[in-house]
Amino acid sequence: MKKWFIFALFMMMTVTTTNAQVYLDPKAPLEERVKDALSRMTTHEKIQVLHAQSKFTSAGVPRLGIRQLNMDDGPHGVREELEWNSWSSARWTNDSIVAFPSLTCLAATWNPMMSIYYGDAVSQEFAFRGKDIMLGPGVNIQRTPLNGRAFEYMGEDPCLAGEMVAGYIQAAQRNGVACCLKHFVLNDQETDRFSVNVNVSERAMREIYLYPFEEAVKRAHVYTIMGSYNHWKGVHCCQNDELLNGILKMEWQWDGAVVSDWGGVTDTWQAATGGMDIEMGSYTDGKLKESEFTYDDYYLARPFERLIAEGKIPMSVLDDKVSRVLRTIFRTSMNPEKVIGSQCSEYHYEVCRQIGEEGIVLLRNEAPRLLPLDLSKYHNILVVGENATRSLTQGGGSSELKTLRDVSPLDALRSQSSISYAQGYYSGRALYDKVDKVDPAKNVALREEALEKAKLADLIIFIGGLNKNHRQDCENGDRESYDLSFGQNELISDLAKIQKNIIVVTFGGNPYATPWLSQVHALVHCWYLGSESGNALVNVLTGKVNPSGKLPVTFAKRYEDYPYVKFGPEAYPGVDKQVYYREDVFVGYRGFERDKVKPQFPFGFGLSYTTFAFSQPKVEMLDGDIAVTVTVTNTGSVAGKEVAQVYVSAPKSKQMEKPLKELKAFGKTRLLQPGESDTLTMYVPCDRLSSWDESRHDWLQDHGTYTFQVGASSADIRGKATLNIP
């Protein structure tokens, strides 16, 4: 018996030696593992890894020990667990997580270190939950302030978005969790998002809309990218050959896997030949409805396998897709270096709070200045507004989060002082696809209660803004108005008439009109701050933290001032499912400056409780890049941080109209004590100075004198220097 056991063991060792499974060796080079695994898979097994097997997983190859991919919505935290094959909650009791601030808040920090902290912390929670792919972050451009999903993105400028997303991706993927960068590309509105065809110039496509994606591919080597629902050149972006194969895979030489948005694939031939790699959510409406079809009926399932068997599509197309999926698997679910992770750790709450504090933007603080707030000076402080108590981690669509604990602004304020509260207005429940009906009489009563309590107050803190209801900041629907909803404009104005000591605090992912601005002493904008919302806000209001956030978007005085609006409905939201980006490259501040329209708050703007002086910038060529150096000095009386923004004006060109200036680099100081200085050197790669030449279909850099402007915002330039580039 013992001899037979030894013989069997010898045979097993012989088989292992002569038929070594390289794909299972984590120390083997990645491409060798991919090639080896591919050679062992049957055609059917190859097909199986290209489409969903549940709502949020795609298959592996159990026979070969190749693991499946577990995906989940991000990018602000791990979505609660859902049932295997429905959109219903699985009702787990251990899937409550930390809600991190919205990506607009991260962009408002203008601090790449915050991106690294964010990506590291949020990916640890994904890893702990057994997730391999985080569906996010997003870098679509905030072209319109009505975009219901803009809170998930990083503002209106491609340079800012590209710079801030790179560190997030790198930190997350170091932990063995793939980022799925979304939505590629031109998904800049939720109105008609499944069917609208975006007409955009080749130049604007390259310089504005593709730019942050290209940065994520080339600098951060993002592992997966999600296609978008909309069309470009009449073809769905999830199966667009020119976009996915031509630009992403061939031109940019990207080796990752394209994941469809849920329900974004509509045709087998186009998806198979058009660059889609993993098909998710087909035979649904992208969110809710199921059908009688099975996962094997997906476009990249049996129908694709049939085309392969008939020789209508070559095996090389299938093998390329499978290779991309295998790379993703070996980088994540079969990566031995993938972290175990953690969930709801104090470190994660600390990261959440710090990002929130640095992203909060002080927009107004006029004399007599109420901020920083000394709560002990007031005897009857009244907080008004639904967002003082409302959970802003709920709603919003796919980014809705189930949190372990949230600190509301009212609770945080009450931990510091005695506070009275009046809700002031009611907005209804957070619904995904419809607006909850609100009884007008209820809002009248809430308003009257707030105004009555205001008569007794010596300080009012109004906490309102947007929320994550449908038609506010929410997937699958854009805002209906540039104004704050639920009668907030009138309520703020009436409160200010009763008590002049009023501070307005707003939450939300989009700009909004401020007709009451001259009536209030202070205005603070918070985006969405996540689980530590109240603590972050109160630390800034009371001066424990000096605000250092800067706007990643332009706040216009009127909706009509946004660059695209003058071109009518064709420019937004579109006519007959066609939308035309008539403003071309003049998005956001570029368009405001060209049109000579003064915004309410310019791009890059943000106040502080202290003041800063900038030295004259120095510009020089250094190792092929352009180095811009400036010294920032805290000239005020309290410690604080400042952002130095580098805008470049190109030489005039006869071939194309160029923006007056464009953001090309930025840096943020460390915390500076009064009188202390920090010298920042910011690098502008020479290729960032190029423009897209449509006649040549290539980048072109004009020679001549470039002006480098360094400032505290796009409208607050503190110094200039020139450099001649031959």
Side-chain angles (χ1 to χ4, degrees), residues 456-660:
L456 302 176
D458 55 359
L459 174 69
I460 296 174
I461 305 174
F462 179 88
I463 303 178
L466 305 177
N467 59 35
K468 293 183 180 177
N469 285 8
H470 184 58
R471 297 292 186 185
Q472 290 287 299
D473 281 335
C474 185
E475 181 183 0
N476 203 35
D478 287 339
R479 294 168 64 197
E480 294 177 305
S481 170
Y482 187 54
D483 288 316
L484 295 179
S485 299
F486 322 118
Q488 290 181 78
N489 284 343
E490 295 78 13
L491 178 57
I492 293 170
S493 181
D494 287 347
L495 288 168
K497 292 173 184 175
I498 295 172
Q499 175 51 256
K500 295 187 182 299
N501 289 335
I502 182 169
I503 298 167
V504 174
V505 176
T506 55
F507 288 83
N510 272 296
Y512 52 85
T514 56
W516 34 260
L517 187 63
S518 63
Q519 296 177 264
V520 304
H521 288 292
L523 173 60
V524 177
H525 188 59
C526 296
W527 319 104
Y528 296 111
L529 301 179
S531 292
E532 285 287 294
S533 180
N535 290 333
L537 172 59
V538 171
N539 285 346
V540 168
L541 290 180
T542 60
K544 183 177 180 180
V545 172
N546 192 343
S548 62
K550 303 280 187 173
L551 291 178
V553 293
T554 303
F555 274 54
K557 293 179 179 178
R558 308 176 308 143
Y559 172 70
E560 291 76 16
D561 292 341
Y562 283 95
Y564 67 87
V565 178
K566 64 186 177 185
F567 297 106
E570 275 195 345
Y572 174 83
V575 176
D576 297 330
K577 309 298 183 183
Q578 300 285 333
V579 63
Y580 295 85
Y581 287 14
R582 301 285 193 200
E583 77 281 11
D584 202 53
V585 299
F586 295 93
V587 180
Y589 68 93
R590 293 168 170 82
F592 280 84
E593 292 185 348
R594 182 190 64 172
D595 298 339
K596 298 181 180 179
V597 174
K598 187 176 181 180
Q600 188 68 71
F601 301 111
F603 175 79
F605 176 80
L607 299 173
S608 170
Y609 297 149
T610 189
T611 55
F612 297 94
F614 288 60
S615 70
Q616 182 65 20
K618 177 184 177 184
V619 179
E620 59 184 337
M621 293 293 295
L622 197 63
D623 297 328
D625 292 334
I626 299 161
V628 182
T629 302
V630 66
T631 298
V632 180
T633 302
N634 184 345
T635 56
S637 58
V638 296
K641 298 180 180 180
E642 176 63 305
V643 177
Q645 304 166 32
V646 179
Y647 296 88
V648 179
S649 299
K652 288 188 177 181
S653 170
K654 294 180 180 179
Q655 295 175 286
M656 65 183 78
E657 183 185 8
K658 295 190 177 184
L660 296 178

Side-chain angles (χ1 to χ4, degrees), residues 266-495:
T266 61
D267 181 86
T268 294
W269 182 271
Q270 283 193 339
T273 61
M276 180 49 59
D277 299 314
I278 303 177
E279 177 191 359
M280 300 297 295
S282 292
Y283 301 107
T284 74
D285 66 355
K287 179 71 180 177
L288 297 173
K289 296 176 183 175
E290 277 301 330
S291 72
E292 69 275 14
F293 288 87
T294 69
Y295 291 106
D296 285 332
D297 293 307
Y298 271 34
Y299 295 102
L300 289 182
R302 270 195 290 255
F304 184 27
E305 188 171 2
R306 194 177 307 119
L307 291 174
I308 293 290
E310 294 170 354
K312 294 179 179 178
I313 294 179
M315 183 64 72
S316 59
V317 172
L318 175 60
D319 285 350
D320 177 71
K321 295 180 186 298
V322 177
S323 295
R324 293 173 182 276
V325 177
L326 288 171
R327 286 189 197 103
T328 306
I329 292 171
F330 294 147
R331 286 165 171 164
T332 58
S333 63
M334 293 181 68
N335 179 358
E337 302 299 321
K338 182 176 180 177
V339 300
I340 294 172
S342 58
Q343 188 168 286
C344 296
S345 72
E346 287 308 308
Y347 163 66
H348 296 171
Y349 285 107
E350 177 75 7
V351 169
C352 173
R353 182 182 56 76
Q354 286 190 17
I355 294 169
E357 290 168 350
E358 285 216 19
I360 291 172
V361 184
L362 177 61
L363 293 174
R364 182 177 175 85
N365 195 22
E366 295 296 315
R369 291 179 178 165
L370 301 179
L371 298 177
L373 187 59
D374 182 356
L375 293 169
S376 66
K377 288 174 54 178
Y378 304 96
H379 303 293
N380 191 344
I381 301 173
L382 174 66
V383 171
V384 179
E386 188 184 60
N387 283 350
T389 59
R390 184 185 180 94
S391 172
L392 294 174
T393 60
Q394 297 177 10
S398 61
S399 65
E400 179 169 356
L401 297 171
K402 177 182 174 181
T403 54
L404 182 64
R405 73 172 195 242
D406 287 336
V407 181
S408 74
L410 184 61
D411 285 344
L413 282 165
R414 281 180 166 166
S415 71
Q416 306 283 319
S417 182
S418 176
I419 304 285
S420 299
Y421 176 64
Q423 185 172 322
Y425 66 92
Y426 174 65
S427 67
R429 295 167 296 161
L431 301 177
Y432 165 73
D433 60 346
K434 55 183 176 292
V435 177
D436 197 14
K437 291 183 179 179
V438 177
D439 181 4
K442 181 175 183 178
N443 264 327
V444 170
L446 290 172
R447 172 190 174 86
E448 290 177 351
E449 178 197 19
L451 295 176
E452 194 63 30
K453 287 185 175 181
K455 296 174 183 177
L456 302 176
D458 55 359
L459 174 69
I460 296 174
I461 305 174
F462 179 88
I463 303 178
L466 305 177
N467 59 35
K468 293 183 180 177
N469 285 8
H470 184 58
R471 297 292 186 185
Q472 290 287 299
D473 281 335
C474 185
E475 181 183 0
N476 203 35
D478 287 339
R479 294 168 64 197
E480 294 177 305
S481 170
Y482 187 54
D483 288 316
L484 295 179
S485 299
F486 322 118
Q488 290 181 78
N489 284 343
E490 295 78 13
L491 178 57
I492 293 170
S493 181
D494 287 347
L495 288 168

